[in-house]
Amino acid sequence: MSIEIYTHTIDKYLSWQEARDLCLSLGEGWRLPTLWELGYIHKLGKEGKIHLGNYGCWGDRRDDDFAWSKGFHTGNIYLNPLGNLNYVLPVRDI
């Protein structure tokens, strides 16, 4: 599986729904990353291949009340209420 990572993190705090809507508004297949993709993005950042700040980003939805996010500073995975605020780094399949 190959993904394209958006050129920069959207550095505005958004709820999960706002983050999902923002990805959809970008068109052409942009979406929230899966849990695996968040790990891959974190790895690229640790290798210096892309720049990641000390923040976390939303991942794709897990269930009706919670969604994944990954803290890029710590590498930890979090399960957050959908109303929490976080950044977003869109991806799309290539």
Side-chain angles (χ1 to χ4, degrees):
M1 174 188 314
S2 296
I3 59 169
E4 178 182 2
I5 301 167
Y6 199 66
T7 57
H8 62 280
T9 301
I10 309 300
D11 59 351
K12 176 180 176 187
Y13 283 115
L14 302 170
S15 70
W16 182 88
Q17 185 65 49
E18 291 168 332
R20 181 178 172 272
D21 291 347
L22 183 134
C23 289
L24 293 174
S25 76
L26 296 173
E28 299 182 24
W30 291 105
R31 59 180 172 74
L32 292 171
T34 66
L35 185 59
W36 181 88
E37 290 165 343
L38 285 170
Y40 174 69
I41 291 166
H42 182 252
K43 179 180 179 237
L44 291 176
K46 288 292 185 188
E47 294 172 351
K49 294 179 180 174
I50 62 174
H51 174 71
L52 298 173
N54 293 328
Y55 48 78
C57 284
W58 282 117
D60 62 345
R61 190 167 149 191
R62 184 179 190 289
D63 65 25
D64 290 340
D65 298 315
F66 297 93
W68 294 114
S69 70
K70 184 164 187 89
F72 290 135
H73 177 67
T74 63
N76 293 336
I77 299 292
Y78 302 97
L79 191 57
N80 294 301
L82 297 176
N84 278 14
L85 301 178
N86 217 330
Y87 288 143
V88 60
L89 182 56
V91 298
R92 66 179 169 186
D93 297 320
I94 54 172

